[in-house]
Amino acid sequence: MNLTVYGVPLSPYVRKLRLCLAEKELDYELVIVLPFDQPAWFKDLNPLGRIPAMTDGDLTLADSSVICQYLEDKYNNLKPLLGQTPEQHAKVRWLEKYADYELAPLTTFMLFQQRIINPSMGQHCDEKIVRTALTEKLPSHFDYLEQSLGNAEFFVGGSLSLADLAFASQMVNMEHAGEQLDAKRWPNLLALYNRIKTRPSMQNLLEGEQEILASIKPTK
């Protein structure tokens, strides 16, 4: 086994990378590295100290999007996840970045942080921050993504892509935080998320994530 991923399962970026690997049926080893209190050697893999990082033999890479692009280029004989044409490729990358840069600050660094991480560390959950994300910030993003998806089964080209995996990775953290997409306002997005959740690649990850969540749940 040459591929090693460094990070934690509850990170949406690590989750996206692991989904990419699973969909391509690539074996890898997961080495747990936290977003904080990292071992000194991790800076040799990513001087920015962010997860995930990955090694493939002597090659070291950081940033989930860069790593997924590498996997697509190297293992292009396996299931394609970046579209079939330049136009599809560009749209996939755009929607992936949209999830990474627009959804993540809200679903992960506001909802998940307040509802899950803060209580697990004995810190206060600020529900005002949660409500701001849910009522003022996320709806416009979901409106845009609902329109982009339309009635299609997947975001781009009628087949699963990194755009779908990036979106679903953020929705998992939102669901871990106790929230769900409004079925009346965003029915197509919810249907897409539910389709991805039933895939073996996601089911395998969610089983382990639920165990982690149960272990960090604060005791009363």
Side-chain angles (χ1 to χ4, degrees), residues 162-186:
L162 203 57
D164 307 298
L165 300 182
F167 164 74
S169 291
Q170 297 300 333
M171 292 302 96
V172 168
N173 275 20
M174 180 172 165
E175 188 171 9
H176 284 339
E179 301 295 338
Q180 185 60 280
L181 286 161
D182 186 325
K184 292 183 178 179
R185 184 167 178 178
W186 305 295

Side-chain angles (χ1 to χ4, degrees), residues 9-10 18 176 202-215:
L10 294 177
R18 296 181 74 196
H176 284 339
M202 181 68 90
Q203 284 293 306
N204 290 337
L205 296 189
L206 290 179
E207 182 177 350
E209 291 188 26
Q210 290 298 337
E211 293 178 2
I212 296 172
L213 289 172
S215 71

Side-chain angles (χ1 to χ4, degrees), residues 39-96:
W41 54 260
F42 185 66
K43 287 295 180 72
D44 293 333
L45 301 181
N46 185 356
L48 299 177
R50 298 171 187 162
I51 56 174
M54 190 190 79
T55 55
D56 184 4
D58 294 332
L59 176 67
T60 297
L61 292 171
D63 185 274
S64 62
S65 296
V66 171
I67 298 170
C68 289
Q69 176 71 67
Y70 166 74
L71 295 173
E72 186 80 358
D73 292 340
K74 182 170 182 177
Y75 301 100
N76 57 15
N77 60 314
L78 303 178
K79 183 173 185 175
L81 292 172
L82 283 172
Q84 300 286 352
T85 67
E87 292 80 8
Q88 289 180 1
H89 181 98
K91 188 172 182 181
V92 169
R93 294 306 304 270
W94 160 246
L95 291 170
E96 178 199 5

